[in-house]
PDB file of all heavy atoms in Angstrom:
ATOM      1  N   ILE A   9      10.805 -18.075  -3.429  1.00 97.00           N
ATOM      2  CA  ILE A   9      10.437 -17.463  -2.148  1.00 97.00           C
ATOM      3  C   ILE A   9      10.908 -16.013  -2.102  1.00 97.00           C
ATOM      4  O   ILE A   9      10.182 -15.118  -1.655  1.00 97.00           O
ATOM      5  CB  ILE A   9      11.022 -18.289  -0.987  1.00 97.00           C
ATOM      6  CG1 ILE A   9      10.427 -19.696  -0.993  1.00 97.00           C
ATOM      7  CG2 ILE A   9      10.762 -17.605   0.355  1.00 97.00           C
ATOM      8  CD1 ILE A   9      11.153 -20.688  -0.100  1.00 97.00           C
ATOM      9  N   TRP A  10      12.116 -15.758  -2.572  1.00 98.00           N
ATOM     10  CA  TRP A  10      12.602 -14.378  -2.635  1.00 98.00           C
ATOM     11  C   TRP A  10      11.701 -13.536  -3.532  1.00 98.00           C
ATOM     12  O   TRP A  10      11.330 -12.414  -3.186  1.00 98.00           O
ATOM     13  CB  TRP A  10      14.039 -14.340  -3.144  1.00 98.00           C
ATOM     14  CG  TRP A  10      15.065 -14.100  -2.088  1.00 98.00           C
ATOM     15  CD1 TRP A  10      15.159 -13.005  -1.272  1.00 98.00           C
ATOM     16  CD2 TRP A  10      16.158 -14.965  -1.722  1.00 98.00           C
ATOM     17  NE1 TRP A  10      16.246 -13.123  -0.423  1.00 98.00           N
ATOM     18  CE2 TRP A  10      16.877 -14.328  -0.683  1.00 98.00           C
ATOM     19  CE3 TRP A  10      16.605 -16.202  -2.186  1.00 98.00           C
ATOM     20  CZ2 TRP A  10      18.013 -14.874  -0.098  1.00 98.00           C
ATOM     21  CZ3 TRP A  10      17.735 -16.757  -1.597  1.00 98.00           C
ATOM     22  CH2 TRP A  10      18.426 -16.105  -0.568  1.00 98.00           C
ATOM     23  N   VAL A  11      11.357 -14.082  -4.701  1.00 98.00           N
ATOM     24  CA  VAL A  11      10.533 -13.321  -5.644  1.00 98.00           C
ATOM     25  C   VAL A  11       9.150 -13.056  -5.059  1.00 98.00           C
ATOM     26  O   VAL A  11       8.601 -11.951  -5.218  1.00 98.00           O
ATOM     27  CB  VAL A  11      10.426 -14.077  -6.988  1.00 98.00           C
ATOM     28  CG1 VAL A  11       9.363 -13.456  -7.878  1.00 98.00           C
ATOM     29  CG2 VAL A  11      11.778 -14.074  -7.705  1.00 98.00           C
ATOM     30  N   SER A  12       8.581 -14.015  -4.365  1.00 97.00           N
ATOM     31  CA  SER A  12       7.239 -13.862  -3.809  1.00 97.00           C
ATOM     32  C   SER A  12       7.122 -12.631  -2.916  1.00 97.00           C
ATOM     33  O   SER A  12       6.260 -11.771  -3.115  1.00 97.00           O
ATOM     34  CB  SER A  12       6.854 -15.120  -3.028  1.00 97.00           C
ATOM     35  OG  SER A  12       5.582 -14.976  -2.428  1.00 97.00           O
ATOM     36  N   GLY A  13       7.999 -12.548  -1.932  1.00 95.00           N
ATOM     37  CA  GLY A  13       7.964 -11.396  -1.029  1.00 95.00           C
ATOM     38  C   GLY A  13       8.321 -10.103  -1.729  1.00 95.00           C
ATOM     39  O   GLY A  13       7.751  -9.043  -1.433  1.00 95.00           O
ATOM     40  N   HIS A  14       9.246 -10.188  -2.667  1.00 97.00           N
ATOM     41  CA  HIS A  14       9.692  -8.992  -3.377  1.00 97.00           C
ATOM     42  C   HIS A  14       8.554  -8.400  -4.214  1.00 97.00           C
ATOM     43  O   HIS A  14       8.349  -7.178  -4.221  1.00 97.00           O
ATOM     44  CB  HIS A  14      10.874  -9.336  -4.274  1.00 97.00           C
ATOM     45  CG  HIS A  14      11.478  -8.156  -4.957  1.00 97.00           C
ATOM     46  ND1 HIS A  14      12.139  -7.151  -4.284  1.00 97.00           N
ATOM     47  CD2 HIS A  14      11.488  -7.786  -6.273  1.00 97.00           C
ATOM     48  CE1 HIS A  14      12.547  -6.231  -5.139  1.00 97.00           C
ATOM     49  NE2 HIS A  14      12.160  -6.597  -6.349  1.00 97.00           N
ATOM     50  N   LEU A  15       7.810  -9.238  -4.904  1.00 98.00           N
ATOM     51  CA  LEU A  15       6.697  -8.744  -5.699  1.00 98.00           C
ATOM     52  C   LEU A  15       5.666  -8.028  -4.829  1.00 98.00           C
ATOM     53  O   LEU A  15       5.115  -6.995  -5.215  1.00 98.00           O
ATOM     54  CB  LEU A  15       6.035  -9.902  -6.458  1.00 98.00           C
ATOM     55  CG  LEU A  15       6.860 -10.579  -7.554  1.00 98.00           C
ATOM     56  CD1 LEU A  15       6.081 -11.745  -8.156  1.00 98.00           C
ATOM     57  CD2 LEU A  15       7.255  -9.589  -8.646  1.00 98.00           C
ATOM     58  N   ALA A  16       5.402  -8.595  -3.656  1.00 97.00           N
ATOM     59  CA  ALA A  16       4.435  -7.968  -2.758  1.00 97.00           C
ATOM     60  C   ALA A  16       4.923  -6.603  -2.290  1.00 97.00           C
ATOM     61  O   ALA A  16       4.156  -5.629  -2.258  1.00 97.00           O
ATOM     62  CB  ALA A  16       4.173  -8.888  -1.560  1.00 97.00           C
ATOM     63  N   ARG A  17       6.195  -6.519  -1.929  1.00 96.00           N
ATOM     64  CA  ARG A  17       6.734  -5.234  -1.462  1.00 96.00           C
ATOM     65  C   ARG A  17       6.730  -4.182  -2.568  1.00 96.00           C
ATOM     66  O   ARG A  17       6.614  -2.987  -2.286  1.00 96.00           O
ATOM     67  CB  ARG A  17       8.166  -5.432  -0.947  1.00 96.00           C
ATOM     68  CG  ARG A  17       8.260  -6.115   0.400  1.00 96.00           C
ATOM     69  CD  ARG A  17       9.687  -6.072   0.932  1.00 96.00           C
ATOM     70  NE  ARG A  17      10.594  -6.858   0.094  1.00 96.00           N
ATOM     71  CZ  ARG A  17      10.831  -8.161   0.259  1.00 96.00           C
ATOM     72  NH1 ARG A  17      10.195  -8.824   1.208  1.00 96.00           N
ATOM     73  NH2 ARG A  17      11.685  -8.797  -0.523  1.00 96.00           N
ATOM     74  N   CYS A  18       6.874  -4.606  -3.812  1.00 98.00           N
ATOM     75  CA  CYS A  18       7.027  -3.671  -4.925  1.00 98.00           C
ATOM     76  C   CYS A  18       5.713  -3.327  -5.628  1.00 98.00           C
ATOM     77  O   CYS A  18       5.720  -2.600  -6.631  1.00 98.00           O
ATOM     78  CB  CYS A  18       8.015  -4.240  -5.945  1.00 98.00           C
ATOM     79  SG  CYS A  18       9.710  -4.371  -5.308  1.00 98.00           S
ATOM     80  N   GLY A  19       4.592  -3.848  -5.130  1.00 98.00           N
ATOM     81  CA  GLY A  19       3.302  -3.433  -5.648  1.00 98.00           C
ATOM     82  C   GLY A  19       2.690  -4.314  -6.717  1.00 98.00           C
ATOM     83  O   GLY A  19       1.682  -3.939  -7.322  1.00 98.00           O
ATOM     84  N   PHE A  20       3.250  -5.497  -6.966  1.00 98.00           N
ATOM     85  CA  PHE A  20       2.704  -6.381  -7.990  1.00 98.00           C
ATOM     86  C   PHE A  20       1.484  -7.133  -7.457  1.00 98.00           C
ATOM     87  O   PHE A  20       1.399  -7.434  -6.262  1.00 98.00           O
ATOM     88  CB  PHE A  20       3.766  -7.369  -8.465  1.00 98.00           C
ATOM     89  CG  PHE A  20       4.839  -6.734  -9.300  1.00 98.00           C
ATOM     90  CD1 PHE A  20       5.925  -6.101  -8.698  1.00 98.00           C
ATOM     91  CD2 PHE A  20       4.764  -6.729 -10.680  1.00 98.00           C
ATOM     92  CE1 PHE A  20       6.912  -5.493  -9.454  1.00 98.00           C
ATOM     93  CE2 PHE A  20       5.738  -6.130 -11.455  1.00 98.00           C
ATOM     94  CZ  PHE A  20       6.824  -5.505 -10.836  1.00 98.00           C
ATOM     95  N   THR A  21       0.545  -7.418  -8.343  1.00 98.00           N
ATOM     96  CA  THR A  21      -0.685  -8.106  -7.946  1.00 98.00           C
ATOM     97  C   THR A  21      -0.921  -9.403  -8.726  1.00 98.00           C
ATOM     98  O   THR A  21      -1.798 -10.178  -8.357  1.00 98.00           O
ATOM     99  CB  THR A  21      -1.909  -7.191  -8.135  1.00 98.00           C
ATOM    100  OG1 THR A  21      -1.993  -6.782  -9.503  1.00 98.00           O
ATOM    101  CG2 THR A  21      -1.804  -5.959  -7.243  1.00 98.00           C
ATOM    102  N   LEU A  22      -0.173  -9.632  -9.796  1.00 98.00           N
ATOM    103  CA  LEU A  22      -0.337 -10.860 -10.587  1.00 98.00           C
ATOM    104  C   LEU A  22       1.020 -11.479 -10.851  1.00 98.00           C
ATOM    105  O   LEU A  22       1.939 -10.806 -11.322  1.00 98.00           O
ATOM    106  CB  LEU A  22      -1.034 -10.554 -11.920  1.00 98.00           C
ATOM    107  CG  LEU A  22      -1.198 -11.753 -12.879  1.00 98.00           C
ATOM    108  CD1 LEU A  22      -2.143 -12.799 -12.282  1.00 98.00           C
ATOM    109  CD2 LEU A  22      -1.711 -11.285 -14.237  1.00 98.00           C
ATOM    110  N   TRP A  23       1.128 -12.782 -10.558  1.00 98.00           N
ATOM    111  CA  TRP A  23       2.344 -13.545 -10.809  1.00 98.00           C
ATOM    112  C   TRP A  23       1.966 -14.696 -11.737  1.00 98.00           C
ATOM    113  O   TRP A  23       1.418 -15.705 -11.318  1.00 98.00           O
ATOM    114  CB  TRP A  23       2.907 -14.064  -9.487  1.00 98.00           C
ATOM    115  CG  TRP A  23       4.215 -14.775  -9.574  1.00 98.00           C
ATOM    116  CD1 TRP A  23       4.932 -15.110 -10.687  1.00 98.00           C
ATOM    117  CD2 TRP A  23       4.990 -15.247  -8.464  1.00 98.00           C
ATOM    118  NE1 TRP A  23       6.085 -15.756 -10.346  1.00 98.00           N
ATOM    119  CE2 TRP A  23       6.153 -15.852  -8.996  1.00 98.00           C
ATOM    120  CE3 TRP A  23       4.814 -15.216  -7.085  1.00 98.00           C
ATOM    121  CZ2 TRP A  23       7.115 -16.428  -8.182  1.00 98.00           C
ATOM    122  CZ3 TRP A  23       5.773 -15.785  -6.273  1.00 98.00           C
ATOM    123  CH2 TRP A  23       6.923 -16.376  -6.813  1.00 98.00           C
ATOM    124  N   ASP A  24       2.242 -14.516 -13.010  1.00 98.00           N
ATOM    125  CA  ASP A  24       1.876 -15.486 -14.039  1.00 98.00           C
ATOM    126  C   ASP A  24       2.978 -16.522 -14.198  1.00 98.00           C
ATOM    127  O   ASP A  24       4.155 -16.178 -14.307  1.00 98.00           O
ATOM    128  CB  ASP A  24       1.657 -14.727 -15.362  1.00 98.00           C
ATOM    129  CG  ASP A  24       1.484 -15.654 -16.549  1.00 98.00           C
ATOM    130  OD1 ASP A  24       0.824 -16.691 -16.383  1.00 98.00           O
ATOM    131  OD2 ASP A  24       2.015 -15.343 -17.631  1.00 98.00           O
ATOM    132  N   THR A  25       2.588 -17.796 -14.224  1.00 97.00           N
ATOM    133  CA  THR A  25       3.554 -18.874 -14.453  1.00 97.00           C
ATOM    134  C   THR A  25       3.254 -19.625 -15.747  1.00 97.00           C
ATOM    135  O   THR A  25       3.799 -20.698 -15.975  1.00 97.00           O
ATOM    136  CB  THR A  25       3.584 -19.867 -13.279  1.00 97.00           C
ATOM    137  OG1 THR A  25       2.306 -20.519 -13.181  1.00 97.00           O
ATOM    138  CG2 THR A  25       3.890 -19.156 -11.972  1.00 97.00           C
ATOM    139  N   GLN A  26       2.368 -19.075 -16.575  1.00 96.00           N
ATOM    140  CA  GLN A  26       1.993 -19.658 -17.870  1.00 96.00           C
ATOM    141  C   GLN A  26       1.263 -20.981 -17.684  1.00 96.00           C
ATOM    142  O   GLN A  26       0.050 -21.027 -17.701  1.00 96.00           O
ATOM    143  CB  GLN A  26       3.206 -19.771 -18.790  1.00 96.00           C
ATOM    144  CG  GLN A  26       3.836 -18.414 -19.105  1.00 96.00           C
ATOM    145  CD  GLN A  26       5.075 -18.501 -19.956  1.00 96.00           C
ATOM    146  OE1 GLN A  26       5.668 -19.563 -20.125  1.00 96.00           O
ATOM    147  NE2 GLN A  26       5.510 -17.378 -20.498  1.00 96.00           N
ATOM    148  N   TYR A  27       2.003 -22.060 -17.501  1.00 93.00           N
ATOM    149  CA  TYR A  27       1.379 -23.374 -17.335  1.00 93.00           C
ATOM    150  C   TYR A  27       1.508 -23.839 -15.884  1.00 93.00           C
ATOM    151  O   TYR A  27       2.554 -23.648 -15.255  1.00 93.00           O
ATOM    152  CB  TYR A  27       2.035 -24.408 -18.244  1.00 93.00           C
ATOM    153  CG  TYR A  27       1.786 -24.166 -19.716  1.00 93.00           C
ATOM    154  CD1 TYR A  27       2.752 -23.558 -20.513  1.00 93.00           C
ATOM    155  CD2 TYR A  27       0.590 -24.544 -20.300  1.00 93.00           C
ATOM    156  CE1 TYR A  27       2.535 -23.344 -21.866  1.00 93.00           C
ATOM    157  CE2 TYR A  27       0.353 -24.336 -21.660  1.00 93.00           C
ATOM    158  CZ  TYR A  27       1.335 -23.726 -22.430  1.00 93.00           C
ATOM    159  OH  TYR A  27       1.103 -23.508 -23.762  1.00 93.00           O
ATOM    160  N   PRO A  28       0.463 -24.469 -15.334  1.00 90.00           N
ATOM    161  CA  PRO A  28       0.591 -25.059 -13.997  1.00 90.00           C
ATOM    162  C   PRO A  28       1.403 -26.343 -14.052  1.00 90.00           C
ATOM    163  O   PRO A  28       1.482 -26.997 -15.094  1.00 90.00           O
ATOM    164  CB  PRO A  28      -0.869 -25.342 -13.609  1.00 90.00           C
ATOM    165  CG  PRO A  28      -1.577 -25.536 -14.916  1.00 90.00           C
ATOM    166  CD  PRO A  28      -0.876 -24.641 -15.910  1.00 90.00           C
ATOM    167  N   ASN A  29       2.038 -26.692 -12.943  1.00 90.00           N
ATOM    168  CA  ASN A  29       2.700 -27.988 -12.837  1.00 90.00           C
ATOM    169  C   ASN A  29       2.738 -28.400 -11.371  1.00 90.00           C
ATOM    170  O   ASN A  29       2.509 -27.566 -10.485  1.00 90.00           O
ATOM    171  CB  ASN A  29       4.108 -27.969 -13.463  1.00 90.00           C
ATOM    172  CG  ASN A  29       5.066 -27.035 -12.761  1.00 90.00           C
ATOM    173  OD1 ASN A  29       5.211 -27.078 -11.533  1.00 90.00           O
ATOM    174  ND2 ASN A  29       5.739 -26.177 -13.518  1.00 90.00           N
ATOM    175  N   PRO A  30       2.988 -29.670 -11.070  1.00 91.00           N
ATOM    176  CA  PRO A  30       2.927 -30.136  -9.682  1.00 91.00           C
ATOM    177  C   PRO A  30       3.860 -29.393  -8.735  1.00 91.00           C
ATOM    178  O   PRO A  30       3.514 -29.161  -7.570  1.00 91.00           O
ATOM    179  CB  PRO A  30       3.308 -31.620  -9.800  1.00 91.00           C
ATOM    180  CG  PRO A  30       2.898 -31.996 -11.193  1.00 91.00           C
ATOM    181  CD  PRO A  30       3.176 -30.779 -12.020  1.00 91.00           C
ATOM    182  N   HIS A  31       5.068 -29.022  -9.205  1.00 88.00           N
ATOM    183  CA  HIS A  31       5.997 -28.303  -8.338  1.00 88.00           C
ATOM    184  C   HIS A  31       5.421 -26.958  -7.928  1.00 88.00           C
ATOM    185  O   HIS A  31       5.474 -26.573  -6.754  1.00 88.00           O
ATOM    186  CB  HIS A  31       7.335 -28.100  -9.045  1.00 88.00           C
ATOM    187  CG  HIS A  31       8.294 -27.234  -8.284  1.00 88.00           C
ATOM    188  ND1 HIS A  31       8.776 -27.574  -7.034  1.00 88.00           N
ATOM    189  CD2 HIS A  31       8.857 -26.025  -8.579  1.00 88.00           C
ATOM    190  CE1 HIS A  31       9.593 -26.630  -6.599  1.00 88.00           C
ATOM    191  NE2 HIS A  31       9.649 -25.684  -7.511  1.00 88.00           N
ATOM    192  N   LEU A  32       4.838 -26.233  -8.876  1.00 92.00           N
ATOM    193  CA  LEU A  32       4.253 -24.936  -8.555  1.00 92.00           C
ATOM    194  C   LEU A  32       3.039 -25.095  -7.640  1.00 92.00           C
ATOM    195  O   LEU A  32       2.823 -24.282  -6.732  1.00 92.00           O
ATOM    196  CB  LEU A  32       3.856 -24.205  -9.842  1.00 92.00           C
ATOM    197  CG  LEU A  32       5.012 -23.823 -10.769  1.00 92.00           C
ATOM    198  CD1 LEU A  32       4.478 -23.185 -12.046  1.00 92.00           C
ATOM    199  CD2 LEU A  32       5.990 -22.883 -10.071  1.00 92.00           C
ATOM    200  N   VAL A  33       2.259 -26.142  -7.860  1.00 93.00           N
ATOM    201  CA  VAL A  33       1.118 -26.405  -6.982  1.00 93.00           C
ATOM    202  C   VAL A  33       1.589 -26.627  -5.551  1.00 93.00           C
ATOM    203  O   VAL A  33       0.975 -26.144  -4.591  1.00 93.00           O
ATOM    204  CB  VAL A  33       0.308 -27.615  -7.493  1.00 93.00           C
ATOM    205  CG1 VAL A  33      -0.733 -28.056  -6.459  1.00 93.00           C
ATOM    206  CG2 VAL A  33      -0.380 -27.274  -8.809  1.00 93.00           C
ATOM    207  N   SER A  34       2.703 -27.330  -5.376  1.00 92.00           N
ATOM    208  CA  SER A  34       3.234 -27.582  -4.035  1.00 92.00           C
ATOM    209  C   SER A  34       3.677 -26.306  -3.338  1.00 92.00           C
ATOM    210  O   SER A  34       3.773 -26.258  -2.106  1.00 92.00           O
ATOM    211  CB  SER A  34       4.404 -28.567  -4.112  1.00 92.00           C
ATOM    212  OG  SER A  34       5.575 -27.953  -4.646  1.00 92.00           O
ATOM    213  N   MET A  35       3.922 -25.258  -4.128  1.00 93.00           N
ATOM    214  CA  MET A  35       4.329 -23.968  -3.570  1.00 93.00           C
ATOM    215  C   MET A  35       3.146 -22.997  -3.462  1.00 93.00           C
ATOM    216  O   MET A  35       3.330 -21.821  -3.190  1.00 93.00           O
ATOM    217  CB  MET A  35       5.412 -23.345  -4.447  1.00 93.00           C
ATOM    218  CG  MET A  35       6.699 -24.143  -4.532  1.00 93.00           C
ATOM    219  SD  MET A  35       7.671 -24.116  -3.002  1.00 93.00           S
ATOM    220  CE  MET A  35       8.285 -22.427  -3.008  1.00 93.00           C
ATOM    221  N   GLY A  36       1.956 -23.493  -3.688  1.00 95.00           N
ATOM    222  CA  GLY A  36       0.767 -22.650  -3.592  1.00 95.00           C
ATOM    223  C   GLY A  36       0.206 -22.211  -4.924  1.00 95.00           C
ATOM    224  O   GLY A  36      -0.703 -21.367  -4.967  1.00 95.00           O
TER     225      GLY A  36
END
């Protein structure tokens, strides 16, 4: 959650997680 907002404030447009998994899906 901290990283999500921070990336947006700092100008990032892509957040790569390599492989999907159920935990990441639950977070959007």
Side-chain angles (χ1 to χ4, degrees):
I9 297 167
W10 256 300
V11 169
S12 177
H14 185 67
L15 293 177
R17 285 189 294 272
C18 294
F20 288 84
T21 58
L22 177 66
W23 185 355
D24 171 39
T25 64
Q26 299 177 345
Y27 292 100
N29 64 50
H31 173 62
L32 295 176
V33 170
S34 74
M35 297 289 288

